[in-house]
Amino acid sequence: MHDRVAKRLAINSPRNVFRAEDDSNQATHPVDIHVGQQLRIRRVHSNLSQTELGQKVGLSYQQVQKYESGKNRISASMLYEIARRLNVPVGCFFDGLPQPGSGEGATIAPEADERIAYLATAEGRRFVEEILRLPPKLRTRTLAVIRAIAGAEDKPEGD
């Protein structure tokens, strides 16, 4: 009798109820997505592939990929090791997030996600590198041309 009561209490304890809810919730937390995006930016900035970073910290490239997508959370010790291998402060992975206790939710704008994803591609990196080679005055003119092209695409043909 005592064993059955103990089992029932263990099953219905707040700790186990929380775990069941936590395990069934498949939504990725916005902070995990943000940290993953920052990891990707720092990795690309260091000219490392997912495989190379994985080898430096003892992970497979698939695990690095899961971290970067936010699908898997990065433990504190792994985040520390990654930061050490990328030669960046651990805090840089949290740059851009609201301060805890500020009342602001941790949300990531879809446009920011798209921009970060583009900048992490080879084409995005080449684009930025080429723009940065231009003198400042020419950069401003180039931006005006890009805006004009983008604006022309927004307008229907025949106008």
Side-chain angles (χ1 to χ4, degrees), residues 1-141:
M1 178 80 167
H2 183 321
D3 289 341
R4 280 190 279 168
V5 172
K7 283 183 183 177
R8 183 174 295 154
L9 287 173
I11 290 171
N12 293 324
S13 75
R15 182 177 174 183
N16 284 335
V17 169
F18 176 74
R19 273 196 181 152
E21 289 172 3
D22 193 42
D23 290 345
S24 66
N25 183 6
Q26 297 297 318
T28 304
H29 195 281
V31 172
D32 295 324
I33 294 170
H34 181 84
V35 169
Q37 289 174 341
Q38 294 301 310
L39 168 58
R40 185 174 192 181
I41 290 168
R42 301 297 175 161
R43 176 184 59 78
V44 168
H45 184 69
S46 297
N47 288 320
L48 291 174
S49 68
Q50 290 174 334
T51 301
E52 292 167 331
L53 177 60
Q55 288 171 346
K56 286 181 179 284
V57 296
L59 298 171
S60 67
Y61 79 90
Q62 293 99 331
Q63 187 59 51
V64 174
Q65 202 171 49
K66 288 177 183 179
Y67 285 160
E68 289 182 359
S69 70
K71 185 174 182 175
N72 285 10
R73 290 183 173 167
I74 308 173
S75 69
S77 58
M78 182 53 65
L79 192 60
Y80 178 84
E81 186 62 27
I82 290 169
R84 189 173 76 82
R85 296 299 181 149
L86 293 175
N87 200 28
V88 297
V90 174
C92 78
F93 296 108
F94 300 95
D95 288 349
L97 286 175
Q99 289 296 315
S102 68
E104 297 178 47
T107 57
I108 299 167
E111 316 84 56
D113 187 28
E114 185 179 343
R115 290 176 190 148
I116 290 168
Y118 177 72
L119 290 173
T121 66
E123 179 186 51
R125 288 191 312 272
R126 281 193 310 270
F127 183 80
V128 171
E129 288 168 3
E130 294 301 326
I131 290 290
L132 292 175
R133 283 189 192 181
L134 299 173
K137 192 171 185 177
L138 194 51
R139 275 188 229 157
T140 304
R141 290 179 182 166

Side-chain angles (χ1 to χ4, degrees), residues 142-154:
T142 304
L143 179 58
V145 170
I146 292 171
R147 284 184 178 150
I149 292 169
E153 288 184 3
D154 292 340

Side-chain angles (χ1 to χ4, degrees), residues 151-159:
E153 288 184 3
D154 292 340
K155 295 179 185 174
E157 288 186 36
D159 283 348

